[in-house]
Amino acid sequence: IRKITSDVSEGSAMKILMLSHSDSMHGAERVFVTTAKILFEAGHQIYVVVPKASSSGEMEKALPDGIRFIRMDYKTVGNSLLRTLVVRLYNVPAEQQLCKFCRKEEIDLIYASTWLTSIGSSVARRIGLPLVWHIHEEPTRDFFWTDAHYLWMRRIMKKARIIFISHRQRRLWEDALGLTLHATIIYNPIQSITVISRNHKGVTIGYLGSFSERKNIGMLVHAFQTSQ
């Protein structure tokens, strides 16, 4: 990503297929949109694909004109083995459609956002395209349900170029998989906090979101304690 975000000369622009797990504008989706904008402004041709069932429309409005926005009928994997198996079967037609689309448009690179969008790894593997996988989640104690699931995750992540959002997250994934991954760290972009009043004695910071172990709430609580 760092290499291809620099301005490109004519003839060196890439066609990049970017897969999202939703078209809302929450944390991971905002990072996705920021990445798409940077790549587009650098001169690359961007195709954004989102699940058809996710229909908030927020992401499409946030993307600049010139980025092709496509809805496709695929689902994201979940936190249970049964759901993941069902989703993988359900996604077979979408995988075939995406493979056909990539060949037709001569896509150079696939970018998948979050672990949930594992369909990106399946498509990249089937047609031999490089995959950049931007993972926001952490592997919790119950992440690998069976030995088969562990081996499957180990196989697909070993071949991908992975973006992690922290060094701790990378370490947890590598420890869990027993691998040294082809990965880099890119912190999530955040807006700075501006204190309007010079007489204000402090800043009150709150948290709004789901309290999930995979979202590393423990680190957030520790940060709040440290900043007291």
Side-chain angles (χ1 to χ4, degrees):
I1 291 293
R2 193 175 298 127
K3 180 180 179 181
I4 63 178
T5 51
S6 58
D7 290 338
V8 296
S9 59
E10 186 176 354
S12 64
M14 298 180 69
K15 293 183 176 181
I16 304 173
L17 181 75
M18 301 185 65
L19 294 159
S20 177
H21 65 295
S22 82
D23 74 338
S24 301
M25 284 297 287
H26 302 299
E29 293 90 345
R30 290 181 182 276
V31 175
F32 180 94
V33 168
T34 299
T35 304
K37 286 180 177 178
I38 291 172
L39 292 171
F40 178 71
E41 290 167 1
H44 300 286
Q45 194 167 341
I46 306 300
Y47 304 81
V48 168
V49 181
V50 301
K52 186 179 291 185
S54 177
S55 57
S56 74
E58 295 176 359
M59 181 179 288
E60 186 174 7
K61 295 176 183 176
L63 291 168
D65 294 336
I67 291 182
R68 187 171 171 185
F69 190 85
I70 305 163
R71 296 189 185 278
M72 197 167 288
D73 190 14
Y74 66 90
K75 297 187 180 299
T76 56
V77 296
N79 296 330
S80 73
L81 177 60
L82 178 60
R83 175 180 169 83
T84 297
L85 292 174
V86 171
V87 164
R88 284 182 60 80
L89 290 172
Y90 182 90
N91 283 348
V92 168
E95 286 183 19
Q96 294 173 340
Q97 189 177 356
L98 282 168
C99 289
K100 183 178 180 180
F101 179 86
C102 288
R103 293 189 181 101
K104 178 183 177 182
E105 300 294 335
E106 299 181 334
I107 298 297
D108 299 302
L109 174 74
I110 294 177
Y111 169 99
S113 175
T114 79
W115 167 77
L116 298 172
T117 319
S118 62
I119 189 173
S121 66
S122 302
V123 173
R125 186 174 65 252
R126 286 180 61 175
I127 57 179
L129 285 177
L131 169 71
V132 174
W133 202 348
H134 202 153
I135 295 179
H136 294 252
E137 302 86 353
E138 293 184 353
T140 53
R141 291 185 298 272
D142 59 346
F143 193 85
F144 303 110
W145 313 293
T146 64
D147 290 341
H149 180 240
Y150 168 79
L151 293 172
W152 175 69
M153 288 295 296
R154 201 173 189 273
R155 177 187 175 192
I156 63 175
M157 293 187 71
K158 184 178 182 180
K159 296 182 178 180
R161 277 81 167 173
I162 300 174
I163 297 172
F164 289 118
I165 61 175
S166 71
H167 290 280
R168 178 182 185 274
Q169 182 201 24
R170 175 180 184 169
R171 185 177 68 253
L172 289 173
W173 274 102
E174 290 185 335
D175 289 348
L177 294 170
L179 290 173
T180 299
L181 296 169
H182 189 155
T184 190
I185 310 301
I186 300 179
Y187 296 108
N188 286 343
I190 61 172
Q191 294 180 331
S192 60
I193 299 172
T194 302
V195 180
I196 298 175
S197 173
R198 293 181 180 273
N199 298 323
H200 195 64
K201 296 181 179 179
V203 177
T204 301
I205 302 176
Y207 171 78
L208 179 63
S210 60
F211 283 81
S212 164
E213 183 180 2
R214 191 166 288 120
K215 290 183 178 294
N216 198 11
I217 295 300
M219 182 65 73
L220 177 69
V221 173
H222 177 70
F224 280 175
Q225 290 173 336
T226 303
S227 63
Q228 286 288 344

